[in-house]
Amino acid sequence: MKKNQQQMKKKGYVGKHAMRRRLPVTASPPLPGHNNNMTDLSQQLLLALAQDGCLASHQFATKIGQDHQRIVGTIKSLESLGNVVDVKQTTVKSWECTEEGTCLANDGSHEARLFSSLGKEGRLLADIKANIPNSNIALGAAMKNKWVKKEGEKVVPIVSSITDEVQLHLQAVARGEAHAVPDKVKADYKKRKLIKEIEKTVFEVRKGSEFTTSVVKQEAEFTKDMIESGQWKNANFKPYNFKSKGRVELRSGHLHPLMQLRSEFRRIFLEMGFTEMPTNSYVESAFWNFDALFQPQQHPARDAQDTFYVSDPATCLEVPEDYLERVRKTHSEGGYGSIGYQCKWNRAEADKNLLRTHTTAVSARMLYKLAQDGFKPAKYFSIDRVYRNETLDATHLAEFYQVEGVVADHNFSIKNLMGVIGSFFKKIGMTSVRFKPTYNPYTEPSMEIYSYHKGLKKWVEVGNSGLFRPEMLRPMGLPESVKVCGYGLSLERPAMIMYGINSIRELVGPRVKMELILDNPVCTIDKFSGETAGDRYGVPSVNALSKRQELILEKLSALQAKVASIASKMGVTLEGSVHAVTTQLTGGPQLGSLHDVVVYADPRRPPYSLRALAIALSAQFPICLKVHCHSTVKEISEKLQQFWGSGVGADRSQSQVCITLVWRQVGDSPATLLPTLSVAPLAATQVSGEHNIVRYLARLMEASNGTSSLHLYEGESINQATSTLVDYFLDQCHTKLVLGSNKERAAYLRDMDKGLGSGSQEFLAGASLTVADLLLLSCLLQLRLLESAPPRVQQWSKLCLTHQLCKNFI
Amino acid sequence: MPTVSVNREALFKAIGQEYNDEEFDELCFKFGLEIDDIVDDPDKGMTYKIEIGANRYDLLCIEGIARTLRVFLGLETLPKFQVLPAKDPSQYKLIVKPAVAQVRPYIVGAVLRNIKFTQAIYDSFIDLQDKLHHNIARKRTLVAIGTHDLDTITGPFIYDAQPPKEISFVPLNQTEVFRSDVLLEKYTQDLHLREFVPIIKDKPVYPVILDQKGVVLSLPPIINGNHSKITLNTRNVFIECTATDRHKAQIVLDTLICMFSGYCDKPFTAEAVLVEYPDGEKIQYPTLQYRQQETSVAYCNVLTGVEENAEDMAKLLQSMSLSAKPTGPDTLMVEIPPTRYDVLHACDVAEDFAIAYGYDRLREDMQLPSTSTIGQEFELNYLSDKMRLLLSQNNYIEVATFSLCSKSDMGEKMKINLDKEPLVKIGNPKTMDFEALRISLLPGILKTVAANKHVSLPLRMFEVADVVVKDSCPVATRGTGARNKRHLCAINYNVKAGMEVVQGLLDNIMVALKVPFTEDGSSKGYYLEGKDYPSFFPGFSATVVVNGSPVGCLGLIHPEVVTSFNLNNPASVLEIDLQKVMEITDFGH
């Protein structure tokens, strides 16, 4: 237990904070002696500093005869006061006696000791060798120093007295005066392992900008007393250490991660208008759990191997008998258009009590009730426990939570089921789902739900779904037109993925460790990714777009075939009109005939993009540009009068295309502010909105046989994906910016800013300028939003304005 | 769902197309099969383990999978299966004796004429029987298949039931004669056959199939005789299926014929066998029944959410092995072949149409239904969530324990005599942990405390969840005889008892529920009434009374209970029936 608590301390539940803040120098309650001593030391140090202006910790320690470590402590505490002292940390090398050296410093060198042991007569060599420690070193050194000599068997002194230099040297080193010993000698002593060189961390202290010799007491805590006494006004507070972690006084309460996830799912269902089913009934009869769902009595899921059967109370008390009879008949003989299972249906089997294997048992009861009460479209959900008598492993338990949604409505289709499931999964951050045909006894069609897992880079199964069989619904009394879809998933599996848990027992059950509950972040699900899904700007992927396009084309060709078949039945030839449409779309201006285009625009919304397109067009063929003013416009500025710029365009008679801009003002609603374009003023067809005008003119230019390689929209140098993207931008710009509210506009610009930031390309749809850029720029100018636009949009606009087509844009 | 192992090379050869694993996986995905695993089997080579829908008996062998996928890909159409008259009608008969009615009343049969086996075909033939036995035949309880070399036996055949001691024969792959009761005793030790032994073991008579000369063909549903054993050289196969479910016997027989008649000299044909029941009923098998299912085009379109015309719909159904003819602008006559016994209703046809149309295509155009409803929480869950929040705000940690519990955790360890409790018991628990449904949240919480002894004290935990009790009231139990009760349980586990701490929690809960404290035990409000409970220390437990009704208890856990859960600190506990509290107070209103 004790050990465990120690571990907890390390893990940071309790205790770690006690050590967190250093005790302040003087504000802590004085410990007798020690702290006063500390105060004295800092006082002493400050006084020394006042005198000398600078000191080194080790020297100061030596000087006042204190332990160096204590001086360091004092310096540190002074440093923490702020700018009282400036401290610089350095290392110094110094010499120190080894153990042997210390011994020699105290007792004298070996040779000196030998000398003194000789007396006047000297001693026998053998005696010396036997009794004097380190006799060889001692003899060698003594003879070298010419203190002694050998006389036969004896060693006798030569001099009467000696000076033991070695001892003196070592004593000097011990005193910290190693500099007094010649370097050569030190090297020799080092070799003899009498002294060693050490590195020491020392501190150089200088006066700080707020240097004072009288240190003010620092407060570590702000207290009630200070407020009441007003002391806080004069108090000097120890600076707060923002770098350490905080302290939790009392362990707070927490909700279990799995239950938090349940709440999230629950909320999503409620957001989607689902009603919660009363699923507080773990014991269910086999009738409601299986038979009501048209699950055959021989189905393997009904085996004791897979289902927990209740031994007490072993059978149910009652079942609606008339309904049971309809169920029996449907199973054994068929009905409602079904041939049934064509085998005996056993009542006793249906009466057995069991632990429900799915919450669909409750759904069945709800649907039955719905039929009895008179059908009304309904959405139900539940998140509750279900049971399987399965073999247990790391991901399977005997009981788990099933998340289930049910929608009942007239003529509900597979597409609707996919729509419900798609939007549900989008809400939990799974934006792409796929469906695989599968088999469930009580649904037909049945679909497994797959979601693309970005980490695994593959589709993984996330749930199961289907439309309930008529054999299940009709006996309940639901009308034939009513279809009911159901879908389900487990709660534990997403939770395990979310919290990175491999064994389910770490998530639920009595063996769960509190760390799981206490240390995990609050449960959130990625509800918002759906809104920014896809690529940049929320653009659907090229893949999705091309699929959508295929679908539209398919519909179109089907429509065309239908029209053709109707026409042939009616005896009408369509060729002429079909031809007319195609030439209108693809044919460029014909040589010799003048292509007349009239654009009506409100002077409050000048379609600046036309200027750039006019330049582009004039590169292809001679064009004539005109400006008129309608009577609805009272006043028009000089700039708008000269919309096309001066000296631009050719004479009408020599031109192939003539663009006439007519300023007019018909109202203030967004629709009337839109420019319109008419091809040949007499024709009824009108192109409305700057985005469509831009399209028209770009096509006109690209459809020409001109040699210029300038392509802005659908031309050869622009691939299909890009032009689809351009289309997308044009439409977005029109709906969100031109027609949008201020809020939508702001959101749109933020999105654009984000999008422009994420790609490497320069323009909206890639490395080259397209009509999308022209339109956006024009709209921003019209709406005077450019100045306030986000930075990357501004950057982009500057780039656009340097383009040759945009030289007279403004 | 059953899984079928097929050799990759053989499968692609049979389909007539080459795929890489991803491509084949994609094909399976679209059709609704699932590749569970890809194994490099040292004996069989690269093998796909393919998961099959439990109702598709026609996909339980490589023959069926390959043919179905070929049809799906438009490479062929489903062949027409045909019953030919018996070559020798007097011989190809199964005469049913009255005695079988008490053990295994039904039998069906057919002959595959001039079949050519190879090792692979033979193996697949045996494998399919195995798969059918395990799935639709529910481990031979419903149907048992016997296949015989027709040239070794002489019809008409007798299907009889005889006392075990009177049946003796040489069983398959044996050399000596066994008496059937001895044989069954022997098979109780057989790894493969022992699971089938109980089907007939204790019956007074055992079913047996004999030929004219008294040769035992088989002892269904256990084992065939060795005499009529089929080999690689067998050319004419006599198939019999005995059953307790007539319809399923027909399905099993038709499935075997449809899968393997393709290897006969006259492909896709089988010769008839006449079954004569004692009551004079005579039925010819195999039926190879083609059923006509009238299907509305509009129904399929509405269900799928598309607008296809009858011709296109028929074309798509063709790729799902269903041949369909438009019989009107809105009706299709769909012919259900004998391989598709899974089709019960027009909705099955509609699903096949939707699969052929493509779920991916439908997904591209998925639509939210126009169903407009207003969401509504379940009141009990609403209250529970409020309580959970309140308890966590009171610094209690939520735990999630199991609703299944062992009797010893609930009884013995809690010092409770379970005989007096309304316990819901499980009949077939695999381990002791699943013996019964809990009647209290406390054991689970105590176990959680025990698993968290490393956490510094005090440990405060709670759970709001359901317990289950037996109840004879049909209304309250929705007709089942057992009902859930939503409980709230909180524990304070500390070095000191601290009963007043959980009592303070109770006070907070009651404040939240707008229930005042009452000292004099009046009918409005809550109070504690001292009472000894077996799990609590005598003198330190009380009943929580709200508005005059007992709703739970509060107290100090009995030291013996503490130690039995391997704990060593005092624990005080509050457990109340939240559902009851909700009923007798006006919370939320």
Side-chain angles (χ1 to χ4, degrees):
Chain A
M1 188 73 191
K2 186 124 194 177
K3 194 181 161 202
N4 281 336
Q5 280 188 357
Q6 291 272 311
Q7 280 172 355
M8 285 310 290
K9 277 184 188 173
K10 270 184 214 153
K11 288 198 171 174
Y13 287 98
V14 286
K16 72 175 173 193
H17 302 290
M19 312 287 288
R20 191 169 64 88
R21 241 169 264 166
R22 278 191 297 276
L23 289 170
V25 182
T26 52
S28 54
L31 282 168
H34 175 82
N35 249 289
N36 288 339
N37 202 343
M38 190 82 145
T39 319
D40 289 349
L41 269 183
S42 43
Q43 199 59 42
Q44 246 180 312
L45 197 142
L46 288 172
L47 287 172
L49 209 53
Q51 201 180 329
D52 304 337
C54 167
L55 60 83
S57 58
H58 60 300
Q59 285 161 355
F60 185 67
T62 321
K63 189 170 152 197
I64 65 167
Q66 277 285 0
D67 179 35
H68 182 241
Q69 238 10 72
R70 292 201 59 195
I71 300 298
V72 170
T74 309
I75 291 170
K76 285 269 167 193
S77 65
L78 285 171
E79 189 186 8
S80 72
L81 298 177
N83 295 322
V84 176
V85 292
D86 288 339
V87 181
K88 215 170 101 192
Q89 181 179 329
T90 51
T91 50
V92 292
K93 282 185 178 170
S94 65
W95 293 94
E96 192 174 74
C97 289
T98 62
E99 216 172 298
E100 192 186 355
T102 312
C103 211
L104 266 53
N106 293 336
D107 306 339
S109 65
H110 299 302
E111 52 272 30
R113 270 144 68 188
L114 170 75
F115 183 81
S116 57
S117 80
L118 288 179
K120 281 187 178 165
E121 284 81 35
R123 278 171 83 170
L124 284 171
L125 189 60
D127 179 30
I128 290 169
K129 286 209 168 168
N131 293 314
I132 304 236
N134 297 310
S135 54
N136 283 344
I137 303 172
L139 272 173
M143 290 207 292
K144 195 173 158 210
N145 290 349
K146 301 215 159 71
W147 291 348
V148 297
K149 64 176 182 194
K150 257 194 193 163
E151 270 186 13
E153 297 286 296
K154 268 184 163 181
V155 177
V156 293
I158 303 172
V159 290
S160 57
S161 68
I162 54 161
T163 315
D164 187 356
E165 272 196 3
V166 175
Q167 185 179 25
L168 293 177
H169 284 153
L170 289 174
Q171 280 169 350
V173 169
R175 279 196 309 273
E177 292 164 13
H179 50 88
V181 183
D183 287 347
K184 215 174 165 184
V185 178
K186 276 190 283 203
D188 180 44
Y189 289 169
K190 190 183 169 188
K191 224 185 209 165
R192 286 173 63 182
K193 298 214 167 92
L194 298 176
I195 61 172
K196 62 184 175 190
E197 200 168 20
I198 53 157
E199 265 190 8
K200 199 171 183 181
T201 304
V202 299
F203 296 87
E204 250 179 61
V205 189
R206 286 168 202 282
K207 289 182 190 170
S209 56
E210 290 163 23
F211 179 78
T212 168
T213 50
S214 53
V215 180
V216 185
K217 186 179 163 189
Q218 278 202 317
E219 304 292 349
E221 203 65 79
F222 201 100
T223 63
K224 175 177 181 247
D225 286 348
M226 288 179 193
I227 292 172
E228 282 175 353
S229 65
Q231 216 178 33
W232 60 270
K233 291 177 196 153
N234 306 317
N236 185 352
F237 290 95
K238 183 173 161 55
Y240 189 84
N241 182 3
F242 288 103
K243 286 189 177 131
S244 69
K245 285 179 86 180
R247 180 165 67 99
V248 179
E249 283 210 314
L250 183 64
R251 187 164 51 222
S252 57
H254 279 81
L255 295 175
H256 192 281
L258 187 70
M259 299 298 114
Q260 289 187 46
L261 185 62
R262 183 180 67 171
S263 299
E264 291 300 319
F265 274 121
R266 203 161 160 265
R267 190 185 296 235
I268 286 171
F269 276 116
L270 291 167
E271 282 167 6
M272 289 175 71
F274 283 68
T275 290
E276 192 167 26
M277 295 189 273
T279 44
N280 54 331
S281 51
Y282 299 159
V283 176
E284 196 55 89
S285 62
F287 177 78
W288 284 108
N289 194 73
F290 293 128
D291 297 283
L293 305 182
F294 195 57
Q295 192 142 344
Q297 293 198 324
Q298 298 88 357
H299 194 276
R302 299 180 73 146
D303 275 3
Q305 287 298 311
D306 293 313
T307 300
F308 285 113
Y309 282 93
V310 174
S311 60
D312 185 19
T315 55
C316 67
L317 302 173
E318 63 176 29
V319 176
E321 289 298 329
D322 53 335
Y323 173 45
L324 177 130
E325 175 53 25
R326 292 196 294 274
V327 168
R328 183 202 64 75
K329 206 165 165 228
T330 315
H331 273 255
S332 54
E333 300 160 30
Y336 311 103
S338 172
I339 58 168
Y341 292 120
Q342 300 181 41
C343 61
K344 267 185 225 127
W345 186 82
N346 189 350
R347 170 75 191 254
E349 208 42 60
D351 280 345
K352 283 183 181 168
N353 269 336
L354 46 78
L355 298 187
R356 67 174 177 218
T357 61
H358 44 204
T359 47
T360 317
V362 180
S363 313
R365 285 176 181 267
M366 293 299 283
L367 291 169
Y368 174 72
K369 185 167 180 292
L370 194 62
Q372 306 313 301
D373 296 351
F375 177 77
K376 265 188 285 182
K379 293 184 197 153
Y380 296 126
F381 82 95
S382 66
I383 309 169
D384 213 334
R385 255 176 246 263
V386 297
Y387 301 81
R388 303 274 162 96
N389 195 6
E390 282 175 328
T391 316
L392 311 182
D393 59 34
T395 53
H396 292 86
L397 285 175
E399 55 185 283
F400 59 95
Y401 280 84
Q402 183 190 344
V403 180
E404 180 173 1
V406 171
V407 183
D409 203 348
H410 294 282
N411 296 326
F412 196 88
S413 72
I414 299 178
K415 280 186 185 171
N416 294 143
L417 169 59
M418 288 173 168
V420 170
I421 293 170
S423 45
F424 176 84
F425 278 93
K426 197 165 155 187
K427 279 229 168 219
I428 57 174
M430 299 183 183
T431 47
S432 44
V433 288
R434 240 188 123 178
F435 301 91
K436 180 172 107 42
T438 188
Y439 167 71
N440 299 319
Y442 49 92
T443 58
E444 190 82 12
S446 312
M447 308 186 294
E448 274 171 0
I449 308 161
Y450 278 71
S451 170
Y452 191 75
H453 194 289
K454 285 180 190 129
L456 299 171
K457 294 203 165 128
K458 66 172 192 176
W459 293 89
V460 292
E461 194 194 330
V462 291
N464 207 338
S465 67
L467 292 172
F468 292 132
R469 293 191 70 99
E471 293 99 322
M472 165 180 167
L473 302 177
R474 300 294 306 284
M476 291 174 169
L478 288 169
E480 193 178 355
S481 64
V482 169
K483 307 278 184 297
V484 182
C485 87
Y487 63 98
L489 54 149
S490 97
L491 185 66
E492 281 83 352
R493 201 162 155 197
M496 284 170 75
I497 294 168
M498 198 176 253
Y499 295 103
I501 297 167
N502 293 323
S503 167
I504 196 164
R505 284 185 185 78
E506 290 170 29
L507 179 69
V508 275
R511 277 184 252 164
V512 168
K513 299 278 179 255
M514 285 302 113
E515 288 82 342
L516 170 90
I517 303 168
L518 301 172
D519 291 351
N520 267 310
V522 66
C523 167
T524 54
I525 52 182
D526 197 2
K527 280 178 156 185
F528 307 99
S529 71
E531 291 173 16
T532 52
D535 304 335
R536 310 174 300 116
Y537 316 101
V539 180
S541 71
V542 174
N543 210 1
L545 279 174
S546 64
K547 276 192 179 156
R548 201 191 290 172
Q549 189 184 23
E550 265 169 40
L551 214 71
I552 293 167
L553 287 176
E554 211 170 282
K555 271 187 188 163
L556 269 177
S557 63
L559 207 64
Q560 210 164 21
K562 214 172 182 177
V563 170
S565 83
I566 292 169
S568 72
K569 274 180 201 159
M570 311 277 286
V572 182
T573 17
L574 288 168
E575 279 186 21
S577 52
V578 169
H579 184 70
V581 171
T582 41
T583 43
Q584 188 88 36
L585 283 175
T586 59
Q590 301 293 312
L591 245 160
S593 71
L594 184 70
H595 196 84
D596 226 341
V597 171
V598 180
V599 178
Y600 294 93
D602 193 295
R604 286 168 294 178
R605 297 279 187 275
Y608 296 109
S609 60
L610 298 196
R611 283 179 173 160
L613 283 162
I615 294 176
L617 277 165
S618 63
Q620 305 292 321
F621 26 69
I623 66 167
C624 162
L625 299 165
K626 287 180 183 299
V627 179
H628 288 294
C629 199
H630 194 258
S631 59
T632 49
V633 179
K634 303 234 163 59
E635 237 181 321
I636 188 91
S637 70
E638 182 70 18
K639 271 186 196 164
L640 293 184
Q641 280 286 356
Q642 296 291 323
F643 184 75
W644 301 115
S646 51
V648 186
D651 189 71
R652 186 176 165 90
S653 60
Q654 284 156 24
S655 303
Q656 281 184 36
V657 175
C658 177
I659 306 178
T660 309
L661 179 66
V662 180
W663 296 117
R664 72 168 176 189
Q665 208 166 330
V666 283
D668 297 325
S669 71
T672 51
L673 284 172
L674 292 179
T676 57
L677 176 147
S678 303
V679 186
L682 296 176
T685 37
Q686 259 195 355
V687 176
S688 174
E690 192 175 348
H691 61 304
N692 288 328
I693 295 175
V694 156
R695 280 185 171 120
Y696 180 86
L697 292 177
R699 280 186 178 135
L700 188 66
M701 177 190 79
E702 289 168 351
S704 80
N705 303 323
T707 47
S708 162
S709 60
L710 194 58
H711 293 129
L712 298 174
Y713 180 37
E714 294 176 327
E716 287 158 18
S717 66
I718 295 182
N719 67 36
Q720 221 168 8
T722 312
S723 56
T724 314
L725 195 63
V726 171
D727 263 329
Y728 176 80
F729 283 127
L730 292 178
D731 289 337
Q732 290 286 303
C733 181
H734 179 68
T735 53
K736 294 200 171 150
L737 197 61
V738 179
L739 300 179
S741 65
N742 285 338
K743 236 183 186 166
E744 281 173 303
R745 284 174 180 169
Y748 174 69
L749 287 178
R750 272 199 307 276
D751 277 354
M752 293 305 281
D753 190 51
K754 216 154 79 192
L756 281 163
S758 66
S760 56
Q761 78 291 6
E762 298 164 343
F763 294 101
L764 290 183
S768 59
L769 182 95
T770 63
V771 285
D773 298 283
L774 298 179
L775 180 71
L776 178 61
L777 191 57
S778 170
C779 293
L780 289 173
L781 287 168
Q782 286 167 37
L783 300 169
R784 297 193 171 77
L785 290 171
L786 194 55
E787 290 80 11
S788 58
R792 280 191 285 263
V793 173
Q794 296 226 15
Q795 211 178 324
W796 156 86
S797 73
K798 280 186 193 119
L799 176 77
C800 288
L801 289 170
T802 58
H803 195 275
Q804 45 152 336
L805 286 182
C806 304
K807 61 188 180 201
N808 64 349
F809 213 92
I810 307 171
Chain B
M1 295 222 192
T3 306
V4 180
S5 297
V6 290
N7 179 279
R8 184 170 68 178
E9 203 183 326
L11 180 67
F12 291 167
K13 206 176 146 204
I15 297 175
Q17 301 257 30
E18 282 296 320
Y19 297 93
N20 62 34
D21 292 342
E22 286 78 35
E23 288 165 351
F24 190 68
D25 190 55
E26 181 63 23
L27 175 67
C28 287
F29 193 100
K30 284 191 175 129
F31 181 76
L33 296 171
E34 189 171 333
I35 299 185
D36 240 16
D37 205 358
I38 303 171
V39 205
D40 194 358
D41 193 313
D43 301 327
K44 298 177 192 155
M46 286 304 278
T47 305
Y48 284 145
K49 300 210 173 223
I50 304 179
E51 201 182 284
I52 309 290
N55 60 344
R56 290 301 296 266
Y57 319 116
D58 59 321
L59 299 177
L60 290 173
C61 59
I62 184 171
E63 286 79 6
I65 294 173
R67 186 192 293 149
T68 304
L69 288 178
R70 276 180 65 80
V71 172
F72 184 60
L73 293 166
L75 299 173
E76 71 170 66
T77 52
L78 192 73
K80 187 89 181 172
F81 301 100
Q82 248 185 314
V83 187
L84 298 180
K87 193 177 155 197
D88 186 350
S90 65
Q91 270 211 27
Y92 300 175
K93 259 188 205 170
L94 272 162
I95 296 159
V96 183
K97 296 288 181 191
V100 297
Q102 49 186 317
V103 270
R104 216 171 166 80
Y106 307 108
I107 189 162
V108 298
V111 170
L112 284 173
R113 168 82 53 203
N114 288 328
I115 194 167
K116 273 189 204 113
F117 281 122
T118 62
Q119 189 63 48
I121 297 169
Y122 183 87
D123 290 347
S124 176
F125 190 56
I126 302 297
D127 247 22
L128 176 62
Q129 292 176 46
D130 214 42
K131 288 277 176 334
L132 289 168
H133 275 151
H134 264 91
N135 294 287
I136 179 174
R138 308 292 308 117
K139 297 183 179 159
R140 301 193 190 175
T141 52
L142 303 180
V143 187
I145 310 162
T147 54
H148 312 276
D149 188 333
L150 181 64
D151 301 328
T152 64
I153 45 181
T154 330
F157 306 99
I158 314 294
Y159 179 38
D160 199 359
Q162 296 169 356
K165 291 195 165 95
E166 291 172 22
I167 309 169
S168 291
F169 67 106
V170 182
L172 191 65
N173 300 330
Q174 300 280 338
T175 47
E176 48 188 310
V177 174
F178 284 88
R179 208 172 69 197
S180 65
D181 55 336
V182 179
L183 189 66
L184 254 62
E185 201 54 55
K186 173 179 146 81
Y187 283 156
T188 50
Q189 306 302 323
D190 186 287
L191 217 59
H192 176 59
L193 293 173
R194 65 178 173 204
E195 61 176 322
F196 310 120
V197 171
I199 302 173
I200 57 165
K201 186 150 193 297
D202 298 324
K203 305 271 179 187
V205 287
Y206 289 176
V208 63
I209 301 168
L210 305 156
D211 84 342
Q212 271 312 299
K213 295 173 183 161
V215 172
V216 172
L217 269 65
S218 67
L219 181 77
I222 312 296
I223 190 108
N224 288 348
N226 197 50
H227 179 90
S228 57
K229 175 183 174 180
I230 61 166
T231 65
L232 278 180
N233 301 319
T234 299
R235 294 302 311 275
N236 301 308
V237 180
F238 176 64
I239 307 170
E240 42 81 10
C241 307
T242 56
T244 53
D245 181 324
R246 198 166 176 165
H247 185 61
K248 291 206 169 59
Q250 177 184 328
I251 297 174
V252 167
L253 183 67
D254 279 2
T255 304
L256 271 174
I257 300 294
C258 292
M259 294 302 112
F260 286 90
S261 57
Y263 298 118
C264 292
D265 283 357
K266 268 190 207 158
F268 312 116
T269 63
E271 280 179 32
V273 168
L274 191 70
V275 177
E276 293 182 11
Y277 281 99
D279 60 358
E281 190 187 5
K282 289 181 185 176
I283 313 173
Q284 181 185 288
Y285 288 98
T287 48
L288 296 181
Q289 183 196 59
Y290 282 82
R291 188 169 68 81
Q292 303 299 315
Q293 168 85 50
E294 197 181 64
T295 308
S296 152
V297 173
Y299 172 79
C300 293
N301 275 330
V302 169
L303 194 75
T304 313
V306 297
E307 286 169 32
E308 292 287 293
N309 59 38
E311 286 82 11
D312 292 343
M313 195 175 281
K315 220 177 278 170
L316 285 170
L317 286 172
Q318 193 79 49
S319 68
M320 300 302 290
S321 310
L322 298 174
S323 87
K325 285 194 190 73
T327 50
D330 184 47
T331 46
L332 282 178
M333 192 51 81
V334 184
E335 192 178 62
I336 316 295
T339 50
R340 295 298 308 275
Y341 278 102
D342 59 294
V343 177
L344 305 178
H345 186 275
C347 69
D348 297 289
V349 176
E351 182 189 50
D352 274 14
F353 161 65
I355 293 171
Y357 186 90
Y359 281 7
D360 280 345
R361 255 173 95 196
L362 293 173
R363 182 197 55 169
E364 295 300 335
D365 190 34
M366 60 187 190
Q367 294 156 356
L368 266 182
S370 55
T371 319
S372 154
T373 53
I374 291 173
Q376 173 78 33
E377 286 172 83
F378 178 45
E379 192 180 4
L380 183 60
N381 291 355
Y382 177 72
L383 170 66
S384 301
D385 275 3
K386 295 278 172 212
M387 286 298 116
R388 291 174 53 237
L389 208 59
L390 179 76
L391 280 147
S392 69
Q393 284 161 351
N394 277 274
N395 292 328
Y396 284 73
I397 299 165
E398 184 176 35
V399 298
T401 64
F402 297 136
S403 62
L404 285 165
C405 202
S406 72
K407 285 184 192 164
S408 96
D409 281 349
M410 265 185 298
E412 216 177 295
K413 286 189 183 173
M414 297 294 294
K415 292 171 72 70
I416 289 176
N417 179 5
L418 287 179
D419 295 340
K420 290 180 191 156
E421 300 296 325
L423 197 64
V424 174
K425 296 174 198 122
I426 307 302
N428 56 334
K430 279 186 181 148
T431 74
M432 295 231 292
D433 288 339
F434 311 137
E435 281 176 323
L437 283 164
R438 63 182 170 199
I439 46 170
S440 159
L441 300 177
L442 194 48
I445 291 185
L446 287 173
K447 281 168 97 173
T448 311
V449 173
N452 284 284
K453 284 200 241 172
H454 60 285
V455 181
S456 66
L457 298 178
L459 254 182
R460 293 186 181 144
M461 297 179 185
F462 80 94
E463 185 170 17
V464 177
D466 285 358
V467 303
V468 184
V469 294
K470 214 165 95 170
D471 186 335
S472 58
C473 172
V475 178
T477 64
R478 307 185 205 195
T480 59
R483 66 183 165 90
N484 284 28
K485 279 182 5 180
R486 182 71 41 93
H487 270 205
L488 177 157
C489 184
I491 190 168
N492 174 35
Y493 179 77
N494 202 353
V495 283
K496 286 180 292 183
M499 244 174 84
E500 67 287 353
V501 175
V502 285
Q503 198 187 346
L505 180 69
L506 174 70
D507 295 337
N508 279 352
I509 291 171
M510 290 302 155
V511 167
L513 293 173
K514 273 195 298 189
V515 180
F517 181 70
T518 167
E519 276 171 85
D520 56 2
S522 79
S523 64
K524 248 340 192 186
Y526 76 99
Y527 63 96
L528 294 175
E529 193 175 82
K531 185 189 171 186
D532 284 349
Y533 287 92
S535 306
F536 295 93
F537 192 54
F540 288 85
S541 63
T543 305
V544 179
V545 183
V546 172
N547 293 351
S549 302
V551 297
C553 58
L554 180 151
L556 177 63
I557 299 279
H558 198 288
E560 287 172 18
V561 175
V562 169
T563 48
S564 72
F565 280 91
N566 204 12
L567 295 170
N568 57 357
N569 281 297
S572 47
V573 160
L574 166 73
E575 179 159 17
I576 55 173
D577 180 345
L578 206 54
Q579 210 163 343
K580 190 158 182 190
V581 172
M582 190 179 84
E583 280 159 18
I584 58 178
T585 61
D586 54 359
F587 174 78
H589 297 288

